[in-house]
Amino acid sequence: MRQIRLHFRLVPPPGVPDPIADALWHIQSGVGDWIDAQVASCQLAFSKVIGDDTDGQLEIVNADDSKNADFPSKALVISCNGGSLTNDQILLFKDRDGLAGNDILVVVAAASGSAFDGCAEHPPDQPGVILFADTQDSEWLLAHELGHIFMGPDHFNSSNNLMCSSTRGIPSFPGFIPELDANQIQQILATSRAMNQ
Amino acid sequence: MNKQLSIKTLTDELEKVEPDLLGLSDHGPDAVPILAKIFRDVGIHPRIREKAVYVLGILPGDTSDLIREAAGASEVRLRRAAAATAANLGPEHAGPILAQLIEDRDATVRHIAANHLPVPSRRTMMTNDVSAEKVKSGSSVPRSYEPDGPEIAVTTVRFQQKDLVRFQFYVRNSNARVRIYRVIHQTQRQILVDEENKNEIGIDLPDFPSGQHLLYWSFQRVGLIWQTCAELNVNGICRFRHRKDSDGSDPVNKGFLFLEVDAAKIGKSGRSRRGNR
């Protein structure tokens, strides 16, 4: 069975410079619950990949090691159109303390001001994604960004698909799980296999 | 007008997790009125309105009035986007907007504004770049340390690292506490001066890294009637002079100036030209 471990690191918003205010932000913002929901959605979204075939099994797990490992509070500046990464992105992903091999760093930031809700662009051999927790209320944001890690930057036209360009467009009725087609599943398996070697 | 553009097509694009900013920018000025409608429409999802403000800043053409409007909005998301995108307007438009947002009541907005100050401009900059020939001939060269001299209204002064750069601030009819600082990219402020009971302060600026910087000053005066003059002198030549007074149209106790610092060329006399006044 292949396991993809996610390591969450938070970037609190500017204005919470001390530990007490920082702790209050964690509680008041509900970012912990948001992360739990995103991980649960990931496990659902990739459940189709976890098959009976031993070779096809893939498990997404939260390493749950984010305590006391937050980055300094700031408003991140990111770029996510296939060009150069910003200094913020380079510095964040460079810090892989506590991460093994191809573990994925998930940076959850509070505010952006820019046009991106999330981004999966990262330096080579430093897999990671950035999510803005206050941007959209999509439950599939993390799963979508992990999809980019596994399958590359392309989007899918169908709003039923996990890799639809707008995750808010994915149906939200209870029990619905975004689709992954056979080709996408093969890509996920191939990438996760490589990441586990 | 691009017939394909509508509120629906643009909101569809803005709803994307990773909108195609280059594609949006290619819509050009036709997209401006539609994006303006989107960001003003309180019935649209707040995040989409925030993104609309950001995209307005990267479109070709002058959208500074709209970004200024967003910078004054009551919704923090819109001010945050204005702070994030203002630098795309170029220093001449970005300066006043960012200077306003640096004092915003929301810490995130303040931080983003400070974070976005030193950025390259893709638009025309209003600089005061006195040519070497002009300096050599002495023709029409503004004289330094003349608070009553003619104003030099620029928002950016360009010079080289090796140049002697001196900032001079005068307060008349009132002594004041004067603070002068550099707004630093990604961090906060480097205080250069913080002195009380002064009516004249002059400092030689320290070595700044090459790139854009924001020099910012403020004062707290004692008297109700006051006049100030800020000057920036490069190698003894005045490149910026701005006066304010309590009866003027802009009686606020702060000012700013963008500095564009070029890397020093090897083989010149270097900072040995620095002298005392």
Side-chain angles (χ1 to χ4, degrees):
Chain A
M1 183 173 67
R2 270 171 246 127
Q3 196 177 69
I4 297 296
R5 288 164 58 85
L6 308 179
H7 297 254
F8 286 86
R9 298 287 185 271
L10 306 184
V11 182
V16 284
D18 65 81
I20 294 173
D22 187 70
L24 278 175
W25 173 72
H26 282 76
I27 295 167
Q28 290 169 350
S29 68
V31 70
D33 293 341
W34 187 84
I35 287 172
D36 289 344
Q38 290 288 323
V39 173
S41 294
C42 269
Q43 290 163 344
L44 278 176
F46 293 108
S47 63
K48 290 177 181 175
V49 181
I50 305 170
D52 294 333
D53 177 0
T54 304
D55 187 50
Q57 289 185 350
L58 173 67
E59 188 179 17
I60 305 288
V61 295
N62 182 355
D64 200 17
D65 62 345
S66 66
K67 288 177 183 174
N68 303 318
D70 289 354
F71 289 109
S73 65
K74 81 186 303 283
L76 290 187
V77 178
I78 72 164
S79 171
C80 201
N81 278 131
S84 303
L85 300 177
T86 65
N87 285 340
D88 280 352
Q89 285 166 295
I90 292 168
L91 289 173
L92 288 173
F93 290 128
K94 189 177 177 183
D95 185 355
R96 291 181 66 82
D97 188 25
L99 276 71
N102 283 310
D103 287 1
I104 295 175
L105 181 65
V106 182
V107 177
V108 180
S112 70
S114 79
F116 304 111
D117 299 330
C119 181
E121 293 182 15
H122 56 81
D125 302 324
Q126 295 171 353
V129 302
I130 293 175
L131 310 176
F132 290 103
D134 71 336
T135 51
Q136 291 193 4
D137 45 359
S138 168
E139 63 187 295
W140 305 108
L141 184 58
L142 174 59
H144 176 92
E145 296 303 338
L146 290 183
H148 282 311
I149 297 269
F150 296 134
M151 295 176 271
D154 292 342
H155 286 119
F156 214 82
N157 283 333
S158 166
S159 63
N160 286 343
N161 194 281
L162 178 65
M163 299 316 290
C164 160
S165 56
S166 170
T167 53
R168 290 184 71 224
I170 295 175
S172 59
F173 55 83
F176 179 81
I177 300 172
E179 295 171 354
L180 290 165
D181 68 16
N183 186 43
Q184 288 175 310
I185 289 174
Q186 286 307 312
Q187 282 184 284
I188 294 168
L189 288 174
T191 306
S192 61
R193 187 179 298 128
M195 291 175 79
N196 270 254
Q197 284 174 349
Chain B
M1 172 75 75
N2 184 340
K3 289 180 181 175
Q4 294 180 329
L5 280 183
S6 65
I7 288 182
K8 169 98 174 56
T9 58
L10 288 181
T11 51
D12 283 350
E13 182 62 33
L14 293 172
E15 282 206 343
K16 292 180 178 176
V17 176
E18 306 105 352
D20 176 8
L21 295 184
L22 290 176
L24 283 163
S25 175
D26 286 343
H27 289 313
D30 287 351
V32 171
I34 302 171
L35 288 167
K37 279 184 184 173
I38 292 173
F39 102 71
R40 288 168 177 154
D41 187 345
V42 295
I44 292 176
H45 192 289
R47 177 59 180 151
I48 304 303
R49 297 172 64 207
E50 180 181 1
K51 291 183 180 183
V53 171
Y54 185 86
V55 172
L56 277 166
I58 63 171
L59 289 176
D62 182 7
T63 54
S64 57
D65 284 348
L66 292 167
I67 304 302
R68 196 173 298 113
E69 181 182 334
S74 57
E75 299 102 315
V76 66
R77 282 178 179 275
L78 301 187
R79 301 201 306 278
R80 197 165 66 191
T85 203
N88 294 313
L89 301 170
E92 72 275 22
H93 293 304
I97 296 171
L98 291 173
Q100 172 188 335
L101 293 174
I102 275 177
E103 304 291 336
D104 196 274
R105 57 188 176 277
D106 180 84
T108 305
V109 175
R110 292 198 300 272
H111 184 96
I112 294 174
N115 215 23
H116 283 78
L117 282 169
V119 297
S121 168
R122 62 177 172 75
R123 300 188 184 182
T124 307
M125 291 169 54
M126 184 193 296
T127 59
N128 180 0
D129 198 358
V130 178
S131 70
E133 290 74 20
K134 200 171 181 181
V135 173
K136 197 173 180 181
S137 68
S139 62
S140 305
V141 174
R143 296 176 63 183
S144 300
Y145 316 118
E146 287 191 347
D148 295 321
E151 289 195 285
I152 304 171
V154 296
T155 54
T156 303
V157 172
R158 184 175 185 171
F159 54 85
Q160 293 196 350
Q161 281 176 318
K162 66 183 177 58
D163 290 331
L164 164 64
V165 182
R166 188 172 176 84
F167 181 77
Q168 202 78 15
F169 190 73
Y170 306 90
V171 183
R172 283 184 177 168
N173 298 324
S174 176
N175 284 348
R177 176 179 180 179
V178 179
R179 291 192 192 113
I180 303 167
Y181 49 90
R182 178 173 70 115
V183 178
I184 300 174
H185 179 53
Q186 292 185 347
T187 54
Q188 291 296 310
R189 299 166 177 181
Q190 174 192 13
I191 297 284
L192 303 173
V193 166
D194 184 357
E195 295 189 27
E196 297 195 52
N197 203 30
K198 291 287 184 179
N199 57 25
E200 180 179 345
I201 282 180
I203 56 162
D204 291 334
L205 297 190
D207 290 320
F208 288 167
S210 61
Q212 281 195 335
H213 305 270
L214 182 74
L215 190 69
Y216 197 94
W217 56 91
S218 62
F219 66 96
Q220 294 173 313
R221 71 276 185 188
V222 175
L224 294 175
I225 306 298
W226 51 268
Q227 294 173 309
T228 65
C229 178
E231 266 189 15
L232 189 85
N233 302 291
V234 179
N235 297 330
I237 298 166
C238 185
R239 304 271 294 277
F240 167 84
R241 183 180 288 125
H242 184 56
R243 280 190 290 274
K244 282 188 174 187
D245 63 71
S246 51
D247 294 327
S249 59
D250 183 28
V252 292
N253 61 342
K254 58 193 173 190
F256 68 92
L257 179 66
F258 284 98
L259 307 177
E260 185 148 313
V261 182
D262 294 334
K265 292 176 183 173
I266 298 170
K268 296 286 184 182
S269 56
R271 294 186 69 89
S272 61
R273 294 166 67 180
R274 182 180 289 272
N276 297 318
R277 177 182 169 264

